[in-house]
Amino acid sequence: MSMADEPLYPIAVLIDELKNDDIQLRLNSIRRLSTIARALGEERTRKELIPFLSENNDDDDEVLLAMAEELGVFIPYVGGIEYANILLPPLETLCTVEETCVRDKAVESLCRIGSQMKESHLVDSFAPLVKRLAGGEWFTARVSACGLFHIAYPSASETLKAELRSVFSQLCQDDMPMVRRAAATNLGKFAATVEPAHLKSDIMQIFQDLTQDDQDSVRLLAVEGCAALGKLLEPQDCIAHILPVIVNFSQDKSWRVRYMVANQLYELCEAVGPEPTKTDLVPAYVRLLRDNEAEVRIAAAGKVTKFSRILSPELAIQHILPCVKELSSDSSQHVRSALASVIMGMAPVLGKEATIEQLLPIFLSLLKDEFPDVRLNIISKLDQVNQVIGIDLLSQSLLPAIVELAEDRHWRVRLAIIEYIPLLASQLGVGFFDDKLGALCMQWLQDKVYSIRDAAANNLKRLAEEFGPDWAMQHIVPQVLDMIKNPHYLYRMTVLRAISLLAPVMGSEITCSKLLPVVVSASKDRVPNIKFNVAKVLQSLVPIVDHPVVEKSIKPCLVELAEDPDVDVRYFANQALQSIDQVMMSS
Amino acid sequence: MANPNRWWDGNVGIMNPMTSSDQPPPPPPSLHLTAEDDKPILGTNSNPNPNDFDGENDEESGGGGGRGRRARGRPPGSKNKPKPPIVITKESPNALRSHVLEIGSGTDISECISMFANRIRCGVSVLSGSGIVTNVTLRQPAAAPDGGRGVPSCLQGRFEILSLSGAFLPAPSPPGATGLTVYLAGVQGQVLGGTVVGPLMASGPVMVIAATFTNATYERLPLEEDDGNEVDIISAIEFDKSGDHLATGDRGGRVVLFERTDTKENGGNRKDLEKTDSSTSRHPEFRYKTEFQSHEPEFDYLKSLEIEEKINKIKWCQTANGALFLLSTNDKTIKFWKVQEKKVKKIASMNMDPSKAAGKNSTASSSVSSSTNSYLTNGDKDKSSNNLINDFKFPSGGIPSLRLPVVTYSETSLVPRCRRVYAHAHDYHINSISNNSDGETFISADDLRINLWNLEISNQSFNIVDVKPANMEDLTEVITCAEFHPTDCSTLAYSSSKGSIRLIDLRQSALCDKHSKLFEEQEAPGSRSFFTEIIASISDIKFGRGGRYILSRDYMTLKLWDINMDSGPVSTFQVHEYLRPKLCDLYENDSIFDKFECCLSGDSQRVATGSYSNLFRVFGCGPGSTEATTLEASKNPMRRQVQTPSRPSRSLSSITRAVRRGGGESPGVDANGNSFDFTTKLLHLAWHPTENSIACAAANSLYMYYA
């Protein structure tokens, strides 16, 4: 071969590496299969590369996974839609491998190709492939087959359709639970393509069988199918066929099944309409809210707001609210936490009166919960309730809760509450904030944990944005600047950080008159860390202040720092000086 | 637990489950299979088949067989490059292969051979050499004044090789394993010798006779006598669902697979095999299939604990695509293994001539592997070649000169691969694992907790049973064994050290601290002694096939329970009642804590368990059956009727299939049945799922018995 010096060399290497001993190289080659295909041309890709890949199914799973992915977008390289069926054989073999993620990817790629294929190809190549896989000796092939029916079905002839339906129903009765699970997972997708007449007869029969499967894992997936099927059926059919099933499921012996129902139930309400919702689904949901398994209650509590939105306010007050009250004092903290994260959303649903009367006591008790997550979840959604009843009613309880969270032992809890302070500030208003929370914000600047100090500095900036520079000048700046006298250098550094964040918000005038002198005086600090941070801050201040100020205060200070004995200080000072020069040059 | 259980929540997509670690091909089978003639003592039902356990021909194809043959002669474009050695290869795995290496003039002999060893990834043992060399640098230890490390001395001039010997191992090799020693004759007839430390330049062609080998095992000598045998002791044994495969695990962390050979000849697909299998009365014959190192000894630095490599349990998983899957566990870590036949591929043609590419790069590695480095260092793509490709305009018809590599497959070899590792979930020692009938989950139990796993997800498990008291001083009871119901996916049973079995319904609650049923036998009043609690501890439980019966083994008895009857066991079998007076001795030498396993036959009509002196006992548990047989697992089996004067109605005839591993003879056993050897105990045994045959492990030997 004489191509070593030609530009083909890398491609030749790439092709050779399809069979290299090093898996990383094979993987790399497979990822660039499109390049190889372009180099070979469309015809040779069809005649050589694709058959080559079909035989290449003995490889490591990582390589097979990459191959399954590449082949999904390979239609342009084999000559367009005309030749799309060429790609099926290699993907078919990939559909039978043992590794689940490879199979899933191959099925995904097959679906992608199938959805672009010509109808004749679908009938001639795709449908037989589905049947072959469905009749495969090993369960892996049959599992893959389940995910392909919805592509093959629409374009099939009447007889073929009947056959596909019967093949699918066989898969739903397979010996292997894995196959039945795959069938249950894909039932909704397949059902969406089936004609309404068959939907009622064949598919409903399959569905009935799956709901009575003796493997819990199959039944749970059937629950997921409920909502999907419900949306496909006419309301009266849905009431006749799906509703009894879901009501049954809501009383299933297995808590995992009930858990799934709790998650899915609200979706079904839309499908069945208001009357059956009232008579059947609300009682079922109430049962789930009072389930004796905490996991089920967690799932149900998390859907309280979504479910209430579907109901009329009267129904919600009558049936759901009593349960919510019970849940707010549930023995499991996770249940209370799930409830707290959604309960604020109920306020707009119930309206002002009911909220004040019924919900407010619950909010207040959750705000006093011993578990910080519960309190945080309430505080994070404060804006929703504020729109309905205003914050004044809550503020009495809010403050102790915030203070307690602000002083929590766990710094992550403190961090979480800091993140919500700007939200609180905007909801509570300046007056309330000044009285109660201002001191807390300053206290965080002196926290022992760096992340808290950093978040506190950021918080000051966001507060300044919220309430404006004038307010900040009065309530933040003096206190912050006062802290520069702190004997510990880490706290002095926090001040510098806060200054650099506040400066852009405060504007040129205040920066020059108040902030800059403090920074300049800090350049005389005895700790080098402070000094080079001064250099950094000064650099960040340059764009904010006017040119004369830079020349008069900032530059001399930096020049002095540039001759510091400490190497880091000199480095950052010089950096700052350079950037000043650049700014000056450009302006 | 801030994160509540969510594993049932539909299909969890895991992005990259490729946690497999590549295992080197296993060393050649160290298993030694001996043929034994049957010696039926009582003459009933003797086995007509001669033992044909000639498993030694079972040659594993080694890793070295798959290398492509290199082209002969000088590659084009490398005129001034010294000739690479000509290799004459012959495929014969796991044997020494002889080579004549011709080393071109002007090249360094030792560098050439070392390169060759690395290229073909084989060890090279240099046997002899002849030819002329110049400018040799040797180290002569004796010449060193300090008597320690010799000073290298450089010898100028031409020398003739008298003798050349040494060995090279492909990288990475243990230090000191590689080296070359040479004797040289000088022009005046003087003889020099030493270890080659610098270049050994060939002047004129040098011929070297060498042997290559693969799979050299690294041994540290002297062998510690005890350990040498200890690691071979079988610690787990399990049939797969079809009964076509048998796996054993040992203390050395190895898993050995055996395959049934007597059904294979029939041909046809699996289902046919099953049918013919049950109709014929052939005895199952197993032969060595493969073995692999499942666990290595580890050290837990946080707890300063050594983690033994001993395999505690093996469980088979669902077979797929002809590959075998199994779970194996030691005290802490569970591993999911896949054993698959892989074709050994050989690349027959490529675009780039590897030898030419070597010329281009003038380094030891080919261009292919040198681009490896650049790919790796740049993350995943080589930028320069990448740009080159992207800028290049491809003609519409493609480039005809490019070819796809042609691959030929010659032979197949069994490749075990570890697919997943389920680690860091147990604070205490794992005593059992068990698969669920849903095919996607399994449990693992340690002394205090039972965890539930999804086979596909190795980084997450869910605690379903926790018996740890708030204060460890209140601990009175530990979990000794746990098993899933064979068909009902939501039921599992676990046994405790207090002799109770609890049945759990997973549907009831996410945390199953409350049992749904409790099986316990009330102790007879007045019989209480110091040992009562110790011997009540259940060492193993097994569900019968239908799931209705549970068999449990405590120190003295086997008990069969009906899960519909929680008042007491259906039947109790005394295993070795004659030991009751000796409990004190057994306590003193710790034998009382031995954990015997038990098993049920496929039809649940018989139960079996082990005892001391390599004995095991089989009881009939059908209605009205009084069968009780004692069998000895040894090369010269002898039926023993101990104490119970039973009338064997239809009993197992004992025919051995002795499969012994490396170690010596098991110590002789006194045949009178009175003095018992507590060191030879038969702890592990398994009943074939469909046939009347039992595999049992005595120390390092595996025996198969069938009726």
Side-chain angles (χ1 to χ4, degrees):
Chain A
M1 299 288 296
S2 59
M3 57 175 60
D5 302 319
E6 295 169 24
L8 284 184
Y9 176 76
I11 299 169
V13 170
L14 202 62
I15 293 178
D16 286 351
E17 281 171 358
L18 282 172
K19 284 292 168 193
N20 197 287
D21 282 341
D22 186 339
I23 179 175
Q24 205 55 49
L25 293 183
R26 289 202 304 277
L27 207 51
N28 180 52
S29 281
I30 287 284
R31 291 238 168 85
R32 318 227 359 230
L33 216 50
S34 54
T35 309
I36 294 174
R38 282 196 296 150
L40 288 173
E42 291 171 358
E43 191 178 340
R44 289 186 66 204
T45 299
R46 290 197 297 273
K47 290 200 173 135
E48 293 176 35
L49 183 62
I50 299 298
F52 171 79
L53 293 174
S54 306
E55 283 169 21
N56 187 20
N57 58 356
D58 202 26
D59 213 326
D60 287 317
D61 295 320
E62 292 90 332
V63 179
L64 296 181
L65 181 68
M67 189 159 108
E69 190 166 6
E70 291 299 326
L71 286 176
V73 293
F74 225 59
I75 290 181
Y77 306 111
V78 292
I81 306 292
E82 286 295 303
Y83 297 99
N85 55 340
I86 295 278
L87 294 171
L88 300 185
L91 284 170
E92 184 177 345
T93 53
L94 289 176
C95 277
T96 64
V97 301
E98 312 83 63
E99 185 57 50
T100 315
C101 63
V102 176
R103 287 202 308 270
D104 289 350
K105 189 56 87 179
V107 167
E108 190 189 316
S109 289
L110 273 177
C111 289
R112 184 178 291 170
I113 291 170
S115 58
Q116 300 172 49
M117 269 167 104
K118 294 199 301 184
E119 273 201 8
S120 60
H121 278 155
L122 277 173
V123 175
D124 295 340
S125 322
F126 202 91
L129 175 145
V130 175
K131 284 194 279 179
R132 270 199 306 280
L133 286 174
E137 188 191 353
W138 300 102
F139 74 89
T140 49
R142 302 201 294 275
V143 166
S144 298
C146 294
L148 297 170
F149 279 82
H150 66 283
I151 301 290
Y153 191 80
S155 56
S157 64
E158 274 313 309
T159 48
L160 186 57
K161 280 185 174 175
E163 197 184 342
L164 286 174
R165 286 196 304 272
S166 87
V167 170
F168 193 85
S169 86
Q170 272 164 28
L171 288 173
C172 291
Q173 291 158 25
D174 200 278
D175 285 343
M176 289 286 183
M178 298 85 158
V179 180
R180 299 203 298 276
R181 277 199 293 274
T185 312
N186 288 292
L187 184 65
K189 264 194 256 169
F190 180 48
T193 62
V194 174
E195 300 81 355
H198 298 302
L199 190 64
K200 261 164 83 178
S201 55
D202 296 10
I203 298 293
M204 284 319 292
Q205 187 54 49
I206 292 173
F207 176 68
Q208 295 288 352
D209 290 345
L210 286 174
T211 57
Q212 277 148 34
D213 202 284
D214 49 350
Q215 285 286 345
D216 285 354
S217 50
V218 178
R219 286 211 309 281
L220 325 169
L221 293 169
V223 177
E224 283 192 308
C226 281
L229 279 177
K231 284 172 189 158
L232 295 172
L233 290 168
E234 299 287 315
Q236 66 269 26
D237 291 331
C238 190
I239 292 164
H241 295 112
I242 306 282
L243 198 60
V245 173
I246 199 89
V247 170
N248 254 336
F249 271 149
S250 75
Q251 297 168 65
D252 198 279
K253 257 168 107 179
S254 169
W255 66 269
R256 288 164 62 184
V257 172
R258 298 199 302 273
Y259 172 90
M260 293 300 270
V261 174
N263 265 328
Q264 303 269 325
L265 202 60
Y266 73 96
E267 286 191 48
L268 214 65
C269 295
E270 294 163 29
V272 295
E275 198 47 38
T277 298
K278 191 176 152 191
T279 55
D280 293 309
L281 293 184
V282 169
Y285 185 67
V286 167
R287 265 199 305 276
L288 292 171
L289 285 172
R290 292 181 170 145
D291 201 280
N292 55 14
E293 173 57 40
E295 296 288 341
V296 178
R297 293 200 303 274
I298 291 172
K303 301 290 181 210
V304 156
T305 301
K306 276 186 174 157
F307 200 85
S308 306
R309 264 186 216 140
I310 297 165
L311 302 178
S312 63
E314 300 82 63
L315 274 179
I317 292 169
Q318 192 188 339
H319 296 287
I320 308 294
L321 211 55
C323 296
V324 169
K325 256 181 219 158
E326 287 167 31
L327 289 176
S328 69
S329 53
D330 196 279
S331 57
S332 161
Q333 59 186 30
H334 300 292
V335 175
R336 299 196 305 271
S337 172
L339 181 71
S341 66
V342 295
I343 194 176
M344 303 305 258
M346 278 186 84
V349 179
L350 298 184
K352 186 168 181 181
E353 204 174 310
T355 302
I356 293 177
E357 209 171 294
Q358 314 267 1
L359 275 183
L360 196 60
I362 301 176
F363 294 158
L364 296 179
S365 82
L366 288 174
L367 266 178
K368 293 188 190 100
D369 201 281
E370 56 184 344
F371 187 53
D373 267 13
V374 179
R375 281 172 275 155
L376 273 175
N377 281 342
I378 288 283
I379 288 172
S380 67
K381 298 281 165 54
L382 217 53
D383 48 336
Q384 285 169 327
V385 76
N386 198 16
Q387 289 158 13
V388 183
I389 56 165
I391 205 122
D392 300 344
L393 286 166
L394 271 180
S395 54
Q396 284 310 311
S397 307
L398 207 49
L399 192 69
I402 294 171
V403 172
E404 206 178 311
L405 286 170
E407 288 160 357
D408 197 279
R409 232 159 31 85
H410 301 285
W411 65 268
R412 281 177 199 282
V413 175
R414 299 202 296 273
L415 188 63
I417 188 71
I418 293 178
E419 314 262 288
Y420 291 126
I421 286 292
L423 170 83
L424 283 170
S426 66
Q427 298 292 328
L428 295 168
V430 177
F432 185 83
F433 187 88
D434 286 349
D435 290 349
K436 322 278 181 189
L437 297 182
L440 276 179
C441 293
M442 293 302 140
Q443 185 185 322
W444 282 320
L445 278 177
Q446 301 183 49
D447 200 279
K448 282 193 175 65
V449 178
Y450 169 76
S451 294
I452 301 293
R453 297 197 301 271
D454 193 53
N458 244 318
N459 176 43
L460 290 183
K461 174 188 148 217
R462 286 165 70 188
L463 286 175
E465 282 167 353
E466 180 73 38
F467 294 141
D470 293 340
W471 176 86
M473 192 50 232
Q474 215 175 351
H475 293 95
I476 297 181
V477 174
Q479 286 92 325
V480 170
L481 296 185
D482 205 37
M483 276 165 60
I484 199 76
K485 300 188 196 94
N486 194 302
H488 200 300
Y489 83 99
L490 285 175
Y491 297 121
R492 298 200 296 275
M493 235 145 76
T494 312
V495 175
L496 288 177
R497 167 103 181 109
I499 288 175
S500 73
L501 287 168
L502 281 172
V505 185
M506 304 304 285
S508 160
E509 198 182 318
I510 296 178
T511 305
C512 294
S513 62
K514 297 281 176 191
L515 304 181
L516 193 55
V518 175
V519 178
V520 170
S521 72
S523 73
K524 307 278 191 298
D525 204 286
R526 62 197 156 79
V527 181
N529 295 44
I530 297 288
K531 286 194 274 190
F532 73 68
N533 272 298
V534 165
K536 284 190 203 169
V537 172
L538 287 176
Q539 184 180 345
S540 74
L541 293 184
V542 169
I544 300 161
V545 297
D546 299 329
H547 187 225
V549 181
V550 174
E551 288 295 334
K552 215 175 79 196
S553 335
I554 296 184
K555 233 178 171 178
C557 180
L558 283 172
V559 168
E560 195 178 317
L561 287 173
E563 282 152 20
D564 197 88
D566 189 275
V567 59
D568 292 320
V569 177
R570 286 201 305 274
Y571 173 79
F572 284 107
N574 281 319
Q575 286 251 305
L577 283 171
Q578 270 170 25
S579 84
I580 289 174
D581 287 344
Q582 269 166 14
V583 173
M584 295 304 159
M585 296 260 272
S586 59
S587 64
Chain B
M1 199 180 66
N3 191 11
N5 297 4
R6 290 283 184 273
W7 49 273
W8 57 88
D9 207 328
N11 293 334
V12 184
I14 36 168
M15 289 324 291
N16 193 8
M18 312 298 184
T19 54
S20 57
S21 67
D22 270 80
Q23 282 284 325
S30 64
L31 190 77
H32 186 67
L33 306 164
T34 53
E36 264 298 311
D37 278 336
D38 303 325
K39 292 173 188 156
I41 302 302
L42 293 186
T44 54
N45 220 357
S46 79
N47 173 24
N49 293 349
N51 259 323
D52 49 358
F53 243 81
D54 49 349
E56 274 149 82
N57 59 0
D58 210 352
E59 280 196 346
E60 261 250 68
S61 56
R67 310 298 313 174
R69 192 169 303 185
R70 304 191 60 242
R72 264 166 161 274
R74 177 170 298 187
S78 66
K79 232 179 228 168
N80 298 323
K81 178 82 183 156
K83 244 190 229 175
I86 295 168
V87 187
I88 302 159
T89 58
K90 202 175 175 197
E91 314 296 338
S92 125
N94 275 0
L96 285 177
R97 269 183 275 167
S98 41
H99 300 262
V100 178
L101 312 174
E102 184 194 326
I103 296 165
S105 182
T107 44
D108 178 1
I109 295 172
S110 92
E111 193 193 300
C112 269
I113 303 175
S114 139
M115 218 172 96
F116 170 62
N118 273 322
R119 179 75 57 81
I120 66 168
R121 297 211 186 123
C122 279
V124 176
S125 169
V126 176
L127 305 172
S128 71
S130 63
I132 308 289
V133 292
T134 52
N135 299 346
V136 186
T137 312
L138 296 179
R139 199 179 66 216
Q140 290 154 308
D146 55 356
R149 301 180 56 220
V151 189
S153 58
C154 192
L155 309 166
Q156 303 292 332
R158 286 161 60 82
F159 302 91
E160 187 172 349
I161 299 173
L162 292 178
S163 161
L164 184 69
S165 62
F168 292 88
L169 291 174
S173 58
T178 293
L180 202 56
T181 314
V182 68
Y183 286 100
L184 300 167
V187 277
Q188 278 122 23
Q190 76 273 37
V191 175
L192 302 157
T195 312
V196 178
V197 287
L200 187 64
M201 301 304 282
S203 161
V206 168
M207 304 300 285
V208 173
I209 310 290
T212 60
F213 53 89
T214 53
N215 295 335
T217 46
Y218 189 73
E219 315 269 2
R220 218 179 273 275
L221 297 182
L223 287 174
E224 282 166 49
E225 199 53 50
D226 279 343
D227 274 4
N229 293 332
E230 195 100 308
V231 294
D232 281 337
I233 291 176
I234 296 174
S235 57
I237 181 166
E238 188 82 14
F239 278 106
D240 75 345
K241 225 194 258 171
S242 65
D244 288 342
H245 294 94
L246 173 68
T248 64
D250 64 24
R251 290 190 173 209
R254 278 168 300 185
V255 171
V256 186
L257 303 185
F258 297 88
E259 182 174 37
R260 187 171 180 172
T261 51
D262 55 329
T263 54
K264 278 271 164 108
E265 300 126 34
N266 298 1
N269 68 26
R270 282 191 319 142
K271 281 174 186 160
D272 287 346
L273 284 179
E274 288 302 322
K275 280 174 201 147
T276 53
D277 192 48
S278 50
S279 59
T280 56
S281 60
R282 303 195 58 184
H283 300 299
E285 281 161 22
F286 284 81
R287 101 170 353 167
Y288 173 87
K289 187 176 169 81
T290 186
E291 73 174 46
F292 54 89
Q293 188 74 38
S294 170
H295 288 74
E296 304 274 355
E298 288 171 81
F299 192 79
D300 184 338
Y301 293 97
L302 288 177
K303 293 181 180 155
S304 283
L305 274 180
E306 261 183 77
I307 303 170
E308 278 182 49
E309 68 272 35
K310 177 185 154 212
I311 306 289
N312 286 347
K313 275 275 157 60
I314 296 176
K315 290 284 170 183
W316 290 86
C317 301
Q318 193 62 52
T319 326
N321 293 5
L324 302 172
F325 291 89
L326 47 88
L327 287 166
S328 62
T329 183
N330 66 354
D331 284 340
K332 297 286 177 191
T333 310
I334 306 156
K335 292 185 181 179
F336 185 52
W337 289 89
K338 167 178 159 187
V339 181
Q340 192 179 28
E341 293 229 318
K342 281 224 161 180
K343 286 179 236 158
V344 177
K345 65 174 185 192
K346 268 194 267 183
I347 295 158
S349 99
M350 291 183 107
N351 284 306
M352 307 303 298
D353 191 328
S355 52
K356 176 185 160 192
K360 250 181 93 69
N361 276 311
S362 77
T363 55
S365 58
S366 72
S367 80
V368 175
S369 56
S370 73
S371 60
T372 312
N373 300 336
S374 53
Y375 281 128
L376 291 179
T377 48
N378 286 349
D380 59 347
K381 275 178 188 149
D382 183 304
K383 290 224 174 75
S384 61
S385 77
N386 200 3
N387 293 339
L388 218 53
I389 293 172
N390 291 342
D391 295 344
F392 194 72
K393 294 281 179 286
F394 293 108
S396 59
I399 301 155
S401 59
L402 287 172
R403 288 176 295 154
L404 288 168
V406 180
V407 177
T408 56
Y409 296 101
S410 51
E411 55 208 289
T412 59
S413 72
L414 276 173
V415 182
R417 273 192 83 183
C418 181
R419 303 309 316 277
R420 282 180 193 93
V421 178
Y422 313 90
H424 311 302
H426 284 280
D427 286 337
Y428 305 92
H429 288 184
I430 298 174
N431 53 43
S432 48
I433 47 179
S434 176
N435 301 86
N436 194 337
S437 57
D438 67 5
E440 71 171 355
T441 51
F442 71 94
I443 48 165
S444 57
D446 67 17
D447 293 342
L448 296 178
R449 298 190 179 101
I450 302 177
N451 290 340
L452 181 69
W453 302 81
N454 188 316
L455 275 169
E456 309 238 305
I457 300 164
S458 56
N459 56 4
Q460 208 178 24
S461 76
F462 296 91
N463 180 243
I464 48 175
V465 175
D466 188 351
V467 300
K468 189 179 178 187
N471 180 0
M472 278 299 265
E473 281 168 14
D474 301 336
L475 184 69
T476 56
E477 187 171 24
V478 296
I479 299 169
T480 55
C481 185
E483 198 178 46
F484 260 121
H485 191 279
T487 53
D488 183 359
C489 63
S490 58
T491 307
L492 71 91
Y494 71 87
S495 61
S496 80
S497 57
K498 273 191 163 174
S500 53
I501 301 169
R502 288 178 175 84
L503 213 58
I504 282 177
D505 188 350
L506 288 176
R507 291 178 300 188
Q508 242 165 20
S509 167
L511 287 170
C512 303
D513 292 339
K514 268 186 254 159
H515 53 263
S516 58
K517 270 183 183 169
L518 173 68
F519 303 96
E520 242 174 352
E521 190 166 34
Q522 298 303 320
E523 61 184 82
S527 66
R528 204 175 161 75
S529 73
F530 173 71
F531 303 110
T532 309
E533 274 203 14
I534 301 173
I535 62 172
S537 174
I538 293 178
S539 52
D540 191 25
I541 53 168
K542 290 270 161 62
F543 272 102
R545 182 189 250 175
R548 176 156 176 204
Y549 294 100
I550 300 175
L551 180 68
S552 71
R553 168 74 205 253
D554 55 39
Y555 191 66
M556 296 303 285
T557 64
L558 262 184
K559 290 192 179 101
L560 192 70
W561 309 78
D562 184 335
I563 61 167
N564 298 326
M565 185 174 108
D566 47 10
S567 56
V570 182
S571 34
T572 304
F573 309 97
Q574 307 296 339
V575 180
H576 37 213
E577 198 57 24
Y578 46 83
L579 289 180
R580 203 171 278 279
K582 296 192 172 143
L583 283 176
C584 205
D585 298 343
L586 290 164
Y587 178 76
E588 264 161 26
N589 62 17
D590 278 352
S591 293
I592 206 165
F593 301 106
D594 284 335
K595 295 189 153 199
F596 290 98
E597 286 182 4
C598 58
C599 60
L600 288 108
S601 66
D603 54 7
S604 296
Q605 290 300 303
R606 290 192 182 80
V607 295
T609 192
S611 174
Y612 292 101
S613 308
N614 283 347
L615 296 181
F616 69 95
R617 307 206 68 197
V618 181
F619 303 95
C621 61
S625 171
T626 53
E627 181 185 332
T629 318
T630 306
L631 298 162
E632 181 190 348
S634 80
K635 283 167 80 177
N636 305 306
M638 191 194 294
R639 177 183 303 257
R640 304 226 209 158
Q641 299 295 346
V642 185
Q643 205 186 27
T644 17
S646 70
R647 308 178 304 277
S649 48
R650 230 191 97 224
S651 54
L652 289 167
S653 73
S654 57
I655 291 113
T656 31
R657 291 251 172 262
V659 182
R660 353 193 86 248
R661 307 190 49 168
E665 292 279 293
S666 53
V669 179
D670 191 354
N672 67 15
N674 282 330
S675 86
F676 276 88
D677 183 355
F678 299 133
T679 55
T680 56
K681 49 204 170 196
L682 199 153
L683 297 177
H684 308 281
L685 75 178
W687 205 302
H688 191 280
T690 53
E691 296 188 25
N692 263 338
S693 60
I694 299 178
C696 49
N700 53 8
S701 308
L702 175 68
Y703 299 90
M704 291 282 297
Y705 287 78
Y706 52 89

